[in-house]
Amino acid sequence: MTELTLLAAYGILVLITLLLQVLGSMRTLSMGYLMSARDEPREVGLMTARIKRALDNSITAMALFAPAVLLLEVQDKTDNASLLACQVFLVARIIYLPVYALGVPAIRTLAWLAGFAATAILYLLAL
Amino acid sequence: MSTELTVLALATLWQMVQFVLYALPANRELGPGYTMSARDREPARPMSDRTARLGRAFDNHTEWLLLFAIAVGVTELSGQGTPFTAACAWAYLIARVAYVPAYAFGLTPWRSLIWSVGFLATLLMLLAALI
C-alpha cells in the first residue's frame, strides 16, 4: 500500500458518498425532478441533507489532501510517517461519513480533526 | 506528455471557458454594480434560469475536475497509464463538454445520462489504478 493507493481509495470514497447522496435524493424527490434542470431548489430528507454536507466537506478535504500526496510523490519524499498520515486521513474520513449521517456529535468533530491534522502533517513532511 | 495529462490540461481550460460562459450573462443580468460588490444581500432581480443553470454546471465541474485530476495524477505517478485509461480520460472530457449545453437547455434525461458517463469514466480510472 502506498500513499497513491490511499489517495485513489479516497477518490472512490468520495464517489460512494456522491452515489449515496443521489440515492437518498431519489427517495424524497421524483426522478422527473432530479433529471430536470432543477430551476427551483427542493428540500431533501434529514439524512440525505447530512450526506450532502458530508460530501461538500469531503470535497474540500480532498482539495487539500490530494496536492499534499502528489507533492510528496513527485519529490520522492514518501516515508513511513507520510504513509501513516495518509492511513489516518483515510480511516478518519471513512468514520466521518456514517457518523455524520447518523448525527453522532463529538465523534464527527474528532474524525474531522484527525483528517485535518493528518493533512497538515503531510504538508510539513512535503516542505 | 501522455494522453491523460493532455486531457487534464484541456479539461482545466474547459473549466475556464465554463466560467466565462457563466460570468458574462451573470454580469449582464445582475449588473457590475452588484457583482463587483461584496454581495452581502441577494441581488434585487434574480438571474435567468439559463444563467443559473450555467452557474450550477460550473460548480458541478469544479467538484469533478478535482476527482478527475486525482485519477490522472494517481495513474501518471504510478506509471499505470494504458489505452484504457486514455479512453476513460477522453470519455470524461467529452461528457463534461456535452454536459454544459445539456444543462443550459434543460435536456431531460440527457444531462443525467451525460453526468453518469463522467462518473463512470472517473470511477473506472481510479479502479484501474488500484487493481
Side-chain angles (χ1 to χ4, degrees):
Chain A
M1 191 195 295
T2 67
E3 286 83 346
L4 281 178
T5 320
L6 293 161
L7 176 58
Y10 184 61
I12 289 176
L13 176 66
V14 172
L15 287 176
I16 292 171
T17 313
L18 230 164
L19 208 55
L20 287 175
Q21 189 235 319
V22 171
L23 292 174
S25 308
M26 281 160 68
R27 286 178 55 200
T28 40
L29 306 174
S30 67
M31 282 310 283
Y33 173 74
L34 288 172
M35 292 201 290
S36 77
R38 306 185 199 177
D39 290 325
E40 83 291 347
R42 284 192 196 170
E43 290 287 308
V44 291
L46 179 73
M47 193 178 279
T48 308
R50 286 174 179 168
I51 294 174
K52 169 71 180 139
R53 293 199 296 280
L55 175 67
D56 289 346
N57 188 278
S58 299
I59 288 169
T60 309
M62 180 164 63
L64 293 167
F65 177 64
V69 173
L70 297 176
L71 276 172
L72 284 162
E73 287 287 339
V74 170
Q75 298 181 90
D76 249 325
K77 276 190 170 173
T78 54
D79 56 16
N80 286 334
S82 64
L83 186 61
L84 182 64
C86 286
Q87 286 164 340
V88 168
F89 177 85
L90 185 63
V91 171
R93 299 302 313 194
I94 290 172
I95 294 171
Y96 182 82
L97 176 62
V99 160
Y100 206 148
L102 298 173
V104 187
I107 299 172
R108 193 199 81 228
T109 308
L110 287 177
W112 182 89
L113 262 178
F116 181 86
T119 308
I121 288 168
L122 286 175
Y123 278 100
L124 292 177
L125 292 170
L127 287 173
Chain B
M1 195 155 74
S2 71
T3 308
E4 291 87 339
L5 283 175
T6 308
V7 174
L8 177 58
L10 291 173
T12 309
L13 283 174
W14 174 243
Q15 178 69 344
M16 299 174 89
V17 171
Q18 265 194 265
F19 176 77
V20 174
L21 287 175
Y22 167 54
L24 287 181
N27 269 288
R28 206 175 49 228
E29 290 166 19
L30 304 177
Y34 177 75
T35 56
M36 293 202 287
S37 76
R39 307 181 196 177
D40 293 323
R41 276 168 290 278
E42 293 290 309
R45 213 157 33 89
M47 57 180 109
S48 68
D49 278 351
R50 175 147 315 154
T51 306
R53 289 172 183 176
L54 287 167
R56 293 199 293 281
F58 174 79
D59 288 345
N60 188 269
H61 194 218
T62 308
E63 300 177 1
W64 279 101
L65 193 55
L66 185 51
L67 279 160
F68 181 65
I70 289 173
V72 171
V74 168
T75 305
E76 283 297 316
L77 289 174
S78 59
Q80 294 193 85
T82 59
F84 176 72
T85 55
C88 284
W90 278 118
Y92 171 85
L93 181 61
I94 292 165
R96 294 311 311 197
V97 171
Y99 184 78
V100 175
Y103 210 146
F105 297 112
L107 305 181
T108 306
W110 300 107
R111 181 186 64 79
S112 307
L113 292 177
I114 291 165
W115 182 92
S116 327
V117 173
F119 181 97
L120 268 182
T122 312
L123 179 66
L124 289 175
M125 272 184 92
L126 285 168
L127 286 175
L130 282 177
I131 294 163

